[in-house]
Amino acid sequence: MYARALAAIFLLLLLFLSGCAKTGERLRNDLTRKLEKVNCYYAEVKAEVFSTEGTQSYFVKQWWQETGRWRVEVDSATSSQIFVCDGKQIFVYQRGGEEYDRLLAKPSTLGAPPFSLMEQLELFLNAKDFSFEGREEITGNTYYVVSFAGLHRDEAIRLWLDTRTLFPVRAETSLEDELLSRITLTNLEFDPALPDALFSLEQMKERKVTNISGCS
């Protein structure tokens, strides 16, 4: 009788563990539910772009709101740019310059802000096919790993997702197995206080404006 009871408990434990195992579809469903609760975030990332000419490194700050407003500041050794979307139009400003560009098109037709974490997640959620590679350890921490086709032909994206927040801590884009870019998360804050001034370039009114029509 005792042996039968132990066997039954062991069987229930196996069923419980198998039911709790993360699968690709369950991961994507969990991510969808988590994003529904994210009103805004602030993130800092290190971005690297690889080419035959060498590696370009950028330090990126990004603010995102579910209202459609976002701001990205991209700094490198040679330049500093600010990208701002107020929900209706996008501004691009070269820090220290005498003018800034206003992109005349709906933000949805102009693509995502550069090095955006939210864009990486949306690409994953919208991917027709993807591969769930299980868990992988990086510098002592374990992450979920997924891969899927990128926006361009023969392009592939691989994401390492935090097991708690499901936000990418690393995103790599490759073309025919050649690494094109890498984004590494260094700081992430959910639901910080974001003043309206972050998503406006009102202070630049005195400078020249170049209107650029966006492509749909």
Side-chain angles (χ1 to χ4, degrees):
M1 189 71 178
Y2 180 71
R4 288 182 181 178
L6 283 179
I9 293 172
F10 182 69
L11 179 59
L12 288 173
L13 180 60
L14 285 178
L15 290 173
F16 173 77
L17 290 175
S18 62
C20 291
K22 187 72 73 174
T23 64
E25 282 305 326
R26 180 177 175 183
L27 175 63
R28 200 146 69 163
N29 291 337
D30 289 348
L31 175 58
T32 299
R33 286 193 292 269
K34 281 184 176 293
L35 290 183
E36 289 174 350
K37 299 177 182 179
V38 177
N39 297 314
C40 61
Y41 74 81
Y42 166 71
E44 297 174 359
V45 306
K46 176 185 177 182
E48 300 168 283
V49 178
F50 307 98
S51 69
T52 55
E53 300 176 355
T55 302
Q56 293 177 299
S57 297
Y58 305 91
F59 175 67
V60 184
K61 296 179 181 179
Q62 52 187 268
W63 296 259
W64 176 90
Q65 278 190 335
E66 53 86 23
T67 57
R69 302 195 301 177
W70 50 259
R71 179 189 182 100
V72 175
E73 298 181 2
V74 182
D75 294 307
S76 71
T78 58
S79 66
S80 179
Q81 285 185 308
I82 300 175
F83 301 78
V84 175
C85 176
D86 63 5
K88 299 178 181 178
Q89 52 194 340
I90 296 175
F91 303 92
V92 183
Y93 170 60
Q94 185 78 28
R95 204 190 300 269
E98 291 301 320
E99 62 183 57
Y100 63 91
D101 298 326
R102 178 170 54 206
L103 306 183
L104 299 180
K106 293 181 180 179
S108 60
T109 68
L110 294 171
F115 311 115
S116 167
L117 295 180
M118 187 58 69
E119 168 69 0
Q120 300 294 328
L121 293 176
E122 290 179 351
L123 288 174
F124 170 48
L125 292 176
N126 292 325
K128 183 178 180 180
D129 298 302
F130 68 94
S131 175
F132 176 56
E133 302 177 21
R135 295 170 178 253
E136 184 173 314
E137 185 176 310
I138 302 177
T139 61
N141 296 310
T142 302
Y143 304 102
Y144 297 126
V145 183
V146 295
S147 55
F148 49 93
L151 293 174
H152 307 290
R153 183 177 179 181
D154 298 324
E155 189 178 79
I157 298 175
R158 196 167 186 231
L159 302 181
W160 286 257
L161 305 175
D162 183 273
T163 55
R164 183 178 62 85
T165 67
L166 299 185
F167 262 63
V169 297
R170 178 185 291 181
E172 293 184 347
T173 302
S174 303
L175 181 64
E176 297 180 341
D177 297 325
E178 182 177 346
L179 188 60
L180 298 180
S181 66
R182 177 187 292 127
I183 301 172
T184 304
L185 178 67
T186 58
N187 183 38
L188 178 64
E189 299 174 23
F190 288 109
D191 296 326
L194 301 182
D196 288 340
L198 271 175
F199 309 105
S200 171
L201 283 181
E202 287 298 314
Q203 70 275 20
M204 301 304 302
K205 273 185 174 180
E206 296 78 14
R207 299 184 185 270
K208 298 177 182 178
V209 180
T210 302
N211 292 328
I212 301 177
S213 295
C215 298
S216 58

